Amino acid sequence: MTTATEQPADVVARLRATFRTGRTKPVARRTDQLRRLRALLTERGADLAAALHADLGKSSTEAYRTEIDFTVREIDHTLDHLDAWLRPESAPVPAHLGTDASAWTQYDPLGVVLVIAPWNYPAQLLLAPLVGALAAGNTVVVKPSELAPATSAALARLLPAYLDTDTVAVVEGGVPETTALLAERFDHIFYTGNGTVGRIVLRAAAEHLTPVTLELGGKSPVFVDRDADLAVVADRLARGKFLNAGQTCVAPDYVLTDPRTAAALEPLLTGAVEALYGTDPQSSPEYGRIVNERHFDRLTGLLESGRTVVGGGTDRTDKYIAPTVLADVDPKSPVMREEIFGPILPIVTVSGLDEAIAFVNDRDKPLALYVFTESDATRARIAAETSSGGLGFGLPLAHLTVSDLPFGGVGESGMGNYHGRYSIETFSHRKAVLAKPLG
Ligand code: NAD
């Protein structure tokens, strides 16, 4: 466990010493730590759910679905497949090396990994990278977000109670503590959060030539084609957008559609919001809250960017912003100039598919792009003509629950990826080995 007086350099030195003993490398040791983490989640899930409720007003259902059970599934998937993922892969040897030579790749753990997590899914986004880093045989320093203080405290209490404290260290704190950590040499840094801090992390890592994964955000667009079943679209959009009060990195940020489809979608979105949270979402136990006053003030400043279709209500003392849909939104308005990261869904009209593709390509590469269409040709064009971290046809958010898909961004939305076997790729070095008998 880290003590109040233990400096970042001491924490890293302690974990590096563990790594040097080699004891984190045997697969049995890795799976033992993963099973302990699983036990934490099943035995103390309620503690984490209570902390998530305190930080974000998350309902218990949502806390389990999107954070606790999500991580349990990631662990189970890893336990099921780790042996196969780690198996060395042989490579054909060129003729000039002779028929007795052999070549293969093997996965080596990197050493000491730093995981820096954000506040919006403060348990999942710290623990899912931890699963991968442990499965790959590393020691790990985890830094929870100070903006989710109850979850940070719960993780700092629970992780040392379940995991080997010389393998996993929790360092709590904000900018000064993270800055001090980043001065140390790590073998990989895994950062989830905004691009401004992502750049700080990348600069700090450059000093030590440390490889970095950046899981960033941005505006994830939705294109609704005129042939789509709009009742289904409205339901799935509302569920994806207003989960965690819109504070989801892959939440649909805005909708692009033609004017007629927009007009038809508006009442259906109103109905979908009411079906999910009733006519007074503030009293719905299923609806979350904005993380803090700073984000509340930022978001309320965006509410004037269009005509309110549904929502618009706010309560600062409760950090409540109603699930809100805005129509007739100008692409240059404030709500279209930054990642919204809150429960506001603007609808921007375009003439059709060509303009929608151009709209997306004129902006930063998104973390996710969602398309609702019945047309194979439209799907094929979107897939071929746009670039995004992930692409979802017909269902927002769900691609990140497929453990066999890599999760990560591209361009402004990040670099690198993880989940399942991709976490092994991220947290290992794939070593090339050539062997030629001496005889
Ligand atoms: P945040 O404020 O919690 O910051 C993330 C981490 O960075 C925290 O641990 C924090 O302590 C640290 N940090 C903050 N300032 C720092 C500094 N100056 N130097 C060093 N470290 C510092 O979270 P956030 O950035 O507000 O998170 C929201 C953003 O993250 C959104 O853009 C969202 O889209 C993105 N996000 C991406 C993913 C993903 O998986 N790609 C997931 C969640 C959130």
Side-chain angles (χ1 to χ4, degrees):
M1 183 167 33
T2 61
T3 61
T5 51
E6 195 179 24
Q7 297 300 309
D10 301 328
V11 178
V12 176
R14 188 161 58 80
L15 265 55
R16 194 169 296 289
T18 306
F19 185 72
R20 292 240 172 95
T21 66
R23 75 171 202 257
T24 62
K25 292 184 183 176
V27 175
R29 175 53 160 54
R30 306 181 194 191
T31 54
D32 170 65
Q33 291 298 301
L34 293 179
R35 287 200 179 88
R36 288 168 191 270
L37 184 55
R38 193 183 195 288
L40 183 164
L41 292 162
T42 53
E43 292 167 14
R44 308 303 291 272
D47 296 34
L48 285 175
L52 291 163
H53 187 265
D55 286 330
L56 291 150
K58 261 185 215 202
S59 72
S60 175
T61 327
E62 194 175 312
Y64 273 92
R65 185 155 64 91
T66 64
E67 307 225 37
I68 300 161
D69 291 345
F70 180 99
T71 312
V72 170
R73 274 206 311 281
E74 182 71 11
I75 292 173
D76 289 345
H77 183 68
T78 304
L79 289 171
D80 284 348
H81 298 285
L82 189 57
D83 280 327
W85 292 340
L86 292 173
R87 211 165 284 147
E89 238 174 78
S90 66
V93 176
H96 72 267
L97 291 172
T99 52
D100 59 347
S102 56
W104 67 91
T105 55
Q106 72 175 54
Y107 288 104
D108 284 353
L110 293 169
V112 188
V113 168
L114 172 63
V115 173
I116 304 175
W119 52 264
N120 62 329
Y121 289 83
Q124 186 218 126
L125 295 173
L126 183 123
L127 297 175
L130 175 62
V131 170
L134 287 174
N138 299 285
T139 58
V140 195
V141 178
V142 289
K143 212 298 287 173
S145 175
E146 72 280 18
L147 298 185
T151 310
S152 177
L155 291 166
R157 191 176 73 248
L158 293 172
L159 284 170
Y162 281 81
L163 300 180
D164 173 37
T165 54
D166 286 329
T167 300
V168 176
V170 186
V171 175
E172 287 193 87
V175 176
E177 291 78 5
T178 317
T179 306
L181 273 175
L182 286 171
E184 297 303 317
R185 183 170 75 77
F186 289 92
D187 300 290
H188 193 92
I189 301 178
F190 188 101
Y191 169 81
T192 305
N194 67 75
T196 307
V197 176
R199 285 167 169 80
I200 294 173
V201 170
L202 201 49
R203 271 188 219 110
E207 281 304 310
H208 301 288
L209 277 184
T210 298
V212 172
T213 303
L214 296 180
E215 295 281 340
L216 310 178
K219 292 179 88 62
S220 294
V222 178
F223 173 63
V224 181
D225 206 355
R226 55 174 64 92
D227 67 3
D229 180 332
L230 297 183
V232 174
V233 173
D235 173 62
R236 294 185 186 177
L237 266 184
R239 285 177 196 277
K241 176 70 186 191
F242 300 118
L243 183 78
N244 199 23
Q247 301 163 114
T248 303
C249 55
V250 286
D253 189 276
Y254 61 93
V255 174
L256 293 172
T257 193
D258 64 274
R260 265 191 35 207
T261 309
L265 194 55
E266 285 178 23
L268 294 169
L269 280 168
T270 304
V273 168
E274 284 181 12
L276 284 174
Y277 305 112
T279 48
D280 176 23
Q282 192 168 8
S283 61
S284 165
E286 294 306 319
Y287 188 62
R289 294 296 182 266
I290 304 307
V291 66
N292 57 28
E293 279 82 8
R294 185 169 67 80
H295 279 287
F296 176 91
D297 293 340
R298 178 182 67 77
L299 286 162
T300 50
L302 303 179
L303 287 170
E304 302 302 312
S305 295
R307 171 171 55 81
T308 306
V309 173
V310 62
T314 64
D315 178 351
R316 194 170 193 274
T317 54
D318 191 24
K319 292 184 290 222
Y320 165 79
I321 298 180
T324 299
V325 177
L326 300 178
D328 308 332
V329 174
D330 186 311
K332 293 194 181 63
S333 64
V335 80
M336 290 302 294
R337 287 207 294 261
E338 60 183 81
E339 178 182 4
I340 299 169
F341 220 54
I344 306 170
L345 183 66
I347 302 176
V348 176
T349 53
V350 288
S351 54
L353 179 62
D354 287 333
E355 200 182 327
I357 290 176
F359 195 98
V360 171
N361 289 340
D362 280 346
R363 289 163 175 77
D364 291 335
K365 291 181 183 174
L367 184 58
L369 171 61
Y370 303 114
V371 177
F372 292 90
T373 182
E374 294 289 352
S375 156
D376 289 342
T378 300
R379 285 199 198 104
R381 277 200 60 195
I382 293 271
E385 296 177 32
T386 64
S387 175
S388 55
L391 173 58
F393 291 121
L395 191 58
L397 270 50
H399 61 291
L400 81 81
T401 66
V402 182
S403 302
D404 285 318
L405 284 177
F407 178 62
V410 56
E412 275 290 316
S413 56
M415 57 179 78
N417 51 58
Y418 72 129
H419 285 178
R421 71 171 312 145
Y422 299 97
S423 292
I424 302 298
E425 301 279 346
T426 289
F427 293 114
S428 309
H429 166 60
R430 201 197 277 220
K431 185 159 71 184
V433 187
L434 173 78
K436 169 105 178 145
L438 297 180

